[in-house]
Amino acid sequence: MRALLIYPLFPPTFWSYEKILELVGRKVLLPPLGLITVAGILPQEWEFKLVDRNVRNVREEEWDWADVVIISGMIVQRDDMVENIKAAKAHGKLVAVGGPFATSVPDEVKNAGADFLILDEGEITLPMFVEALERGETHGIIRAEEKPDVTTTPIPRYDLLELDAYDSMSVQFSRGCPFQCEFCDIIVLYGRKPRTKEPAQLLNELDYLYELGWRRSVFMVDDNFIGNKRNVKLLLKELKVWQAEHKYPFRFNTEASIDLADDQEMMDLMVECYFDAVFLGIETPDEESLEFTKKFQNTRNSLADSVDKIIKAGLRPMAGFIIGFDGEKQGAGDRIVRFAEQTAIPTTTFAMLQALPNTALWHRLKKENRLLDESKGNINQTTLMNFVPTRPLEDIANEYVEAFWELYDPHGYMDRNYRCFLKLGAPKCKAPAKLPSLVDLKALAIVVWRQGFKRDTRWRFWHHAFGILRHNPAVFEHYITLCAHNEHFMQYREIVRQEIGEQLRDYLHHQQREQVTPPVMTTAEKGEKVLTS
């Protein structure tokens, strides 16, 4: 069996980093870990070809070669996924589709022409798919109610990737998250009981990447890296030894809940393993909104103090923020900006709240008749909300655009970056010095020219660079890398302002034309909701 694996296009997003990747001659930030895991699970006597549409298009000879086309992706990739399903069917191919989007909204991919829907987690459903093919079946929906034991998951087929196209690699140690945030689809897809691989299992994956010649960053794509603290500490203790033995070939980053700050041992182990950054789902500094959306883990301690502890431990924070929670008071965008400034978080994702399919939020809003389109929901930063909020959408959208614009003002970004790295704990591992490549030197020269000479940021650039060299020289390379990120954010805030502005104008024009006033929700002090119009 010859299987063509296709990963759909991402639209421009906060994480696409086009301008940064251009500097270093790469095309994509991260590879399709799900699809290369699928290739590892399927029978190894099959032949595989993988096309990441973010790297290149499918060639005609690849369509001709394939017996079956397998497509997987996330909600944000929906448009290109549908187009590739149709293209595969136009070439007369058997099409199987799985992954988070298909699992959440199966009807949409089925209506696009998919023959097989391989839903839920592939360790269980992919063998069922193979059995169906062996029985001669040509269509079907394959699901599994139970969650697989990920200690049986084989090493992903990293060899199928065009490695030079990627800036970072992906590995996964665990699936699931123990918390109950109302808006999150992770707990719907993967459950609230984090399942982990064995430490040796993950180290075997790193061995394979090392053998393939990978020597750059590795992202631990766990839903919450510290969801199972006991098991992740067992991993980190062995990873610390592996990294030292291999002379620290990889820098790691990951995502974790804010209660990471409560565990100094965990943070120390991460830094000793050469973790240098962690994504934190902060969402909002408004405690009432956090409690309403059931993100209780963010209300137990001071968010600002927690971020400060994480920085001083040696982990650069990346933070996720959301605007548009029920009962949210006016000025939420300004409060998010002030919090980012107060805590000196350089990189902050920011989006309007979306009701993702089958989440607790989605079910509640459906019951309240507030969903605008039940199948839609997007975590992109250039999308209006897909439900009726409790305050005017126009106010939320305008606050969002203004806050995004201010967060990524070049001067403000450089100042936050500088203050963060002044107090960032130094690396605790002794990674050998590496000579920069010609590509890295060229990228550095472009950043220095643009930010240190060409633009009005020149004074700040040199003041901050020399300040880091004087006060915290051990983090200088990391600091300069974050300066380069400014190239992406300067452009992306323009995209956000333009696209949200266009959508908002269309929305208001539609409201005026239809002379429809959407229902408005008001939230009483005790959280009791009354739908009024």
Side-chain angles (χ1 to χ4, degrees), residues 34 57 74 98 118 125 141 204 216 238-239 253 256 276 281-282 300 315 477 498 519:
N57 294 325
M74 294 180 279
I118 311 171
T125 54
I141 299 175
N204 285 338
R216 296 198 293 274
E238 295 195 28
L239 179 57
N253 46 71
D276 62 9
I282 291 175
R300 294 168 186 159
L315 295 165
E477 179 186 349
Q498 178 179 339

Side-chain angles (χ1 to χ4, degrees), residues 182 286 288-289 292 323-330 332 335 353 361 364-365 368-372 385-397 399 507 518-524 527-533:
E182 185 189 39
D286 295 344
E288 290 180 1
S289 292
F292 193 87
I323 192 171
F325 290 108
D326 276 5
E328 183 179 76
K329 296 181 176 62
Q330 187 177 2
R335 292 191 293 276
L353 183 62
L361 174 64
R364 177 170 66 81
L365 294 174
E368 295 170 358
N369 197 31
R370 293 168 59 197
L371 287 176
L372 297 177
M385 302 169 74
N386 65 336
F387 66 94
V388 178
T390 61
R391 61 188 182 112
L393 178 60
E394 182 178 8
D395 292 353
I396 296 171
E399 282 188 26
Y507 169 82
V520 177
M521 288 285 294
T522 60
T523 305
E528 296 179 356
K529 301 176 291 297
V530 180
L531 185 61
T532 62
S533 57

Side-chain angles (χ1 to χ4, degrees), residues 85 89 95-97 106 108-117 138-140:
I85 293 170
K89 293 307 297 179
V95 180
V97 183
E108 194 158 340
V109 293
K110 183 180 179 181
N111 293 339
D115 301 298
F116 281 95
L117 273 62
T138 57
H139 64 275

Side-chain angles (χ1 to χ4, degrees), residues 30-161:
L30 292 167
L33 180 61
L35 267 183
I36 58 175
T37 302
V38 165
I41 295 171
L42 289 169
Q44 293 307 287
E45 59 268 24
W46 286 20
E47 297 178 58
F48 299 98
K49 289 185 179 181
L50 185 145
V51 176
D52 182 346
R53 292 256 301 125
N54 301 280
V55 175
R56 64 174 179 84
N57 294 325
V58 183
R59 302 185 182 110
E60 196 62 34
E61 59 267 25
E62 290 170 324
W63 288 120
D64 295 338
W65 170 88
D67 296 318
V68 59
V69 175
I70 300 174
I71 304 174
S72 176
M74 294 180 279
I75 291 174
V76 71
Q77 297 167 279
R78 86 170 2 112
D79 292 343
D80 197 59
M81 181 183 293
V82 168
E83 290 304 311
N84 277 275
I85 293 170
K86 293 177 179 177
K89 293 307 297 179
H91 284 83
K93 301 302 175 181
L94 186 72
V95 180
V97 183
F101 174 54
T103 298
S104 297
V105 193
D107 287 346
E108 194 158 340
V109 293
K110 183 180 179 181
N111 293 339
D115 301 298
F116 281 95
L117 273 62
I118 311 171
L119 310 180
D120 305 305
E121 296 182 57
E123 286 86 352
I124 296 175
T125 54
L126 284 166
M128 296 165 66
F129 166 63
V130 174
E131 292 171 1
L133 292 180
E134 291 172 347
R135 291 192 299 268
E137 296 177 18
T138 57
H139 64 275
I141 299 175
I142 302 171
R143 303 213 67 153
E145 292 184 3
E146 67 271 29
K147 304 296 183 187
D149 176 2
V150 295
T151 62
T152 66
T153 305
I155 296 174
R157 289 288 303 273
Y158 292 104
D159 58 298
L160 296 174
L161 298 171

Side-chain angles (χ1 to χ4, degrees), residues 2 21 29-30 108 176 250 297 310 313 415 444 459 472 514:
R2 292 178 295 195
L21 295 173
L29 185 64
L30 292 167
E108 194 158 340
F250 307 138
Q297 66 271 25
I310 290 169
D415 286 347
L444 175 62
W459 183 89
N472 199 1
E514 298 296 326

